[in-house]
Amino acid sequence: VRCEGVGMSTYTATSLNATSFNWTLTPTAAGTITTGTSTAVVTWEPAWVGLATVGVTGTNVCGTSAQTTTDVTTHALPTATAANNGPVCVNQTLTLTGTASGTAPFTYYWMGPNGFTSTMLSPTVSTAATVAMAGTYTLTVTDANCTALPVATTAVVNPLPVAIPSSNTPVCVGQPLTLTGAATGTGPFTYSWTGPAGFTSNQQSPTVSATATTAMAGAYVLTVTDVYCTSLPVSTTVVVNVLPVATATNNALAGICAGTTLTLTGGPG
């Protein structure tokens, strides 16, 4: 018994009386046979699958013996395919998918980056992928008879973009309040802002209001999406200061006489 593919097999005839031997390979499509005095070497055709028979007869001065035969079965290799659910983003689930055909039962063996191994047909590499998990994953399948040629799939794990929010804070009530968005990653980018009082914007750097109020103070959250992935949300805190209230009074509210001192008094409310 052998498996499909390139290979050679050596056969030896033993006889106390034969002085020469005649070797045959049936069918001839199975390969070529090279003979020596009492040995034969079969070089198998790589694509041969099926039953072949190696036969030998011995000859001496008295005649030729009956043929002795050996049957050799060549099994087809199982076939396998390998795939993955990529490209995925960091923190998403990375899974591998294998298929196999041949003669059951099958065994499976995956190898990949960071020492990854698995004996499942379609394993989950991680439910929270990292960029270190990107790379080539190789699947080898063995059926009841033979081991398949290894097949591979390349997994892509894209890093998350990073959102960078800021603002012109602190501002005073009545002044313009603006937000500024920036990002690292692979552009082009889209932006999504949320904030107090139901504020939302898809602009990179929106103006919250030309006349800020204290209700606009608080955390504004920016999320950025690049060509591949969406960032984690990042916030910036906006401070809106209330205006001071001035007061003014004097000592002449009820009248004052000429020649007396007039005093003005100011202060916060």
Side-chain angles (χ1 to χ4, degrees):
V1 176
R2 59 180 301 275
C3 294
E4 173 189 6
V6 174
M8 300 172 68
S9 302
T10 301
Y11 300 89
T12 302
T14 58
S15 173
L16 296 176
N17 302 312
T19 57
S20 65
F21 298 89
N22 182 53
W23 295 87
T24 60
L25 176 65
T26 306
T28 57
T32 58
I33 188 165
T34 305
T35 63
T37 302
S38 60
T39 61
V41 176
V42 175
T43 302
W44 299 100
E45 283 294 322
W48 169 255
V49 174
L51 178 66
T53 300
V54 177
V56 62
T57 58
T59 301
N60 62 17
V61 294
C62 296
T64 300
S65 69
Q67 188 180 58
T68 300
T69 60
T70 299
D71 290 335
V72 181
T73 299
T74 299
H75 293 288
L77 297 182
T79 59
T81 65
N84 69 84
N85 67 326
V88 299
C89 298
V90 165
N91 294 330
Q92 290 182 338
T93 298
L94 174 61
T95 58
L96 305 173
T97 302
T99 66
S101 62
T103 304
F106 298 96
T107 61
Y108 313 95
Y109 187 70
W110 286 93
M111 295 180 61
N114 297 319
F116 174 82
T117 62
S118 176
T119 55
M120 299 174 63
L121 174 59
S122 299
T124 296
V125 178
S126 176
T127 56
T130 67
V131 291
M133 295 173 186
T136 300
Y137 291 80
T138 302
L139 170 64
T140 303
V141 172
T142 300
D143 71 359
N145 302 307
C146 301
T147 297
L149 298 174
V151 291
T153 181
T154 300
V156 175
V157 181
N158 291 309
L160 301 183
V162 177
I164 307 170
S166 61
S167 71
N168 66 330
T169 187
V171 297
C172 295
V173 167
Q175 292 181 334
L177 174 59
T178 60
L179 304 172
T180 300
T184 63
T186 303
F189 301 97
T190 60
Y191 299 84
S192 177
W193 288 92
T194 61
F199 175 82
T200 62
S201 176
N202 292 324
Q203 296 183 44
Q204 179 179 354
S205 299
T207 296
V208 178
S209 176
T211 54
T213 67
T214 54
M216 297 173 186
Y220 288 77
V221 178
L222 173 62
T223 303
V224 172
T225 301
D226 72 359
V227 174
Y228 304 113
C229 304
T230 298
S231 72
L232 298 174
V234 182
S235 67
T236 184
T237 300
V238 165
V239 175
V240 179
N241 292 313
V242 295
L243 298 177
V245 178
T247 61
T249 186
N250 64 78
N251 63 339
L253 295 178
I256 191 172
C257 297
T260 61
T261 299
L262 175 61
T263 301
L264 302 176
T265 301

